[in-house]
Structures are given as C-alpha cells and as structure tokens.
Amino acid sequence: MEKEDIYLSTASWGKSEPTYETKQFLLALIIKEKINNKKPNIIDAGAGLGRNSIYLSENGFDVTAIEYDEGAINPLKDNIRENNQSDNIRVINLNIIDYLRRQEDHSIDAVLDSGMSHYLTLDEKEEYFMLLRQKMAEDGLFSITHFSKEDKSANGLSEDQLRLLLEGMIELDDIHFDTWTDSISKSEHFAYKGLLAMPGGRCNEIKDIYIRVYELILDKKITSVKQIHEYLNGLNVKTQILDSKTIGQGVVGEMQQIEEIDATMSVLQAHQQIIRKQQDGRQYEN
Ligand SMILES: C[S@@+](CC[C@H](N)C(=O)[O-])C[C@H]1O[C@@H](n2cnc3c(N)ncnc32)[C@H](O)[C@@H]1O
C-alpha cells in the first residue's frame, strides 16, 4: 500500500469542514490583528488534509501548515490547490518539534493544534509545550484540541498533566472536557479543548473583546465574519503600532492612543454565560 493510501485510509478527520474550535480561533485572530495592527503569522500544527488551514486562509490569513506524515503531503497540497489557497498556505513536511526548534524566539503569533499534540511521546509533549512558550510572541494565540487519556485511539494526557504544561497561559476559552461521536467510524471521542494566549502584550484586551464578541455570536447578533469586522471597526480600540525593530521580538512597540475601549461588561460574568451557551451546542455560521 502506498503511503498516501495508508494515510487516507485513517484520515477520518476529513478535508472540508473546519472544526468549531478553528472558528473560535479565527475570531481571536481577527481581534489580535486589530489590536496589534499587524497580521498574525499562523502555524497549523499537524495540518492533516488542510481543512483548518484553508478556512483561515480563505478568511485572509497566511498559514504555515506543518505535517510530518509524507502520505499526507500530496493530498494536502491538492486540497489547498483545489480551494485556490496555494498563495497563502505554505506546506512543510516536518515534525513540529524540529520546525519549532528552528524558529526564532517569540516569532510565532499563533498556533492551531487541532488533534496533533496527543500523538507525541511524553518527552516530546514536554518539549513541544516548552518550545511553544519560547517561540510564541508575547500575546501569541494557541488553540488546542488534545485527545484525553480516556480516548482509546490516542496517547493523551490527563487534565492535570495538560494544565501543568499550559500553566501561566491566559484562557480565552477555558480548558474543558468535550465528547463527541465520529460520524465516519461512529466511535466516541474524549478531548480537552482550549483557546489560550501567551500572558504578555495585550492578552487581557484580546480576551475581553473576544468574550464580548463571542457572546454576540452566541446570541445570533453577529452571524458572519464580515459582521465581526464591522463590530470591531465600530469599537474604539486603542491600536498598537509596532515599529520594524519590535516586530517579531515580542517587545511592546510604540503606542498610538486613539480612544479607550469601553470595557463595561464583567469578564467573569460573560465567560460563565459563554460556557453555559457552549454547552447548549449553538454555533455560528461562517
Ligand atoms: C487528528 S489529525 C488532525 C489533522 C488536522 N489538524 C485537522 O484537524 O483536520 C493529526 C495530524 O497531525 C499529524 N502529526 C502527528 N504528529 C505530528 C508531528 N510530530 N509533527 C507534525 N505533524 C504531526 C498527523 O500526521 C495527522 O495528520
């Protein structure tokens, strides 16, 4: 059997619909871009057949798709080409650990890990999370879906172990346990999911705005990506201008004060509402 056939026969994650977590990640990316006045660079760690990279690229972001399985590379590139996103997605056939080791410190703005990290050995997991902290920018975003210890198909961690490895990061969407049934294999899965930010720069503002916009999405007052942009344009966000020396070095750059954000909503209260509504399983349209 060819490497590609072997990969495709196990790739139950498919190649078309992005995950719900990627939609949440997109919202945080749009907010981060607005606040930092700079387009974030994004790593799709374990990109698979590219459904999430393509979605982010279609929504205006450049993505570096890292995938270590040789059998995935041609189908991934074909999928990207068929969706006309080849100009915005760079595919790299490498182990994520090797890729991260080669990056400059604080140079990565955002990492999407949709079902990759549980594949690593325990030593690799420790190095991976250590490298993420070292290589990510000061308010860098990290989305994780990590199959838990309970899932028989994976090599996952317990909640305590995962929390330890992510300690100190700010939770935009909290680390929570989730279960679902795979539509193809019909098997049940168990994972921890979370959307986090590195605890520097303007991470608290990103979190505050994320919670407010997400609440509007769950209430169906915002139903499209276009409306997210419109809402943010209407907010009086204090925009940060990064000069060329500070970009990529994780240092706060020159600030341009436009107007203060009117942060009236209690962050905690809003977050609790979001968790309740997430449990209702409501989603928003692309
Ligand atoms: C469950 S699949 C998910 C694919 C994709 N993220 C998605 O949501 O559609 C996980 C992918 O991670 C890749 N992977 C696992 N370990 C990796 C590593 N150390 N470096 C890069 N890719 C890896 C696997 O080959 C597989 O394609």
Side-chain angles (χ1 to χ4, degrees), residues 179-230:
T179 66
W180 71 96
T181 304
D182 190 313
S183 60
I184 297 171
S185 66
K186 306 279 179 227
S187 51
E188 210 180 349
H189 291 299
F190 309 86
Y192 293 107
K193 297 180 176 180
L195 176 58
L196 303 105
M198 290 289 282
R202 298 178 70 181
C203 64
N204 290 325
E205 285 167 70
I206 294 173
K207 176 170 180 166
D208 180 29
I209 298 176
Y210 174 85
I211 288 170
R212 291 161 66 188
V213 180
Y214 194 42
E215 177 76 3
L216 294 169
I217 289 167
L218 293 171
D219 280 345
K220 305 261 186 243
K221 291 184 178 138
I222 288 181
T223 56
S224 68
V225 173
K226 187 166 167 256
Q227 284 178 340
I228 295 173
H229 284 285
E230 284 167 1

Side-chain angles (χ1 to χ4, degrees), residues 50-66:
R51 57 181 173 164
N52 299 323
S53 289
I54 289 168
Y55 175 73
L56 296 173
S57 167
E58 283 171 344
N59 282 288
F61 292 94
D62 289 341
V63 182
T64 302
I66 311 294

Side-chain angles (χ1 to χ4, degrees), residues 7 13 46-48 51-52 67-68 95-96 114-116 119-120:
Y7 184 86
W13 38 89
R51 57 181 173 164
N52 299 323
E67 173 53 60
Y68 79 162
N95 189 313
I96 189 70
S114 173
M116 193 282 300
Y119 279 83
L120 306 172

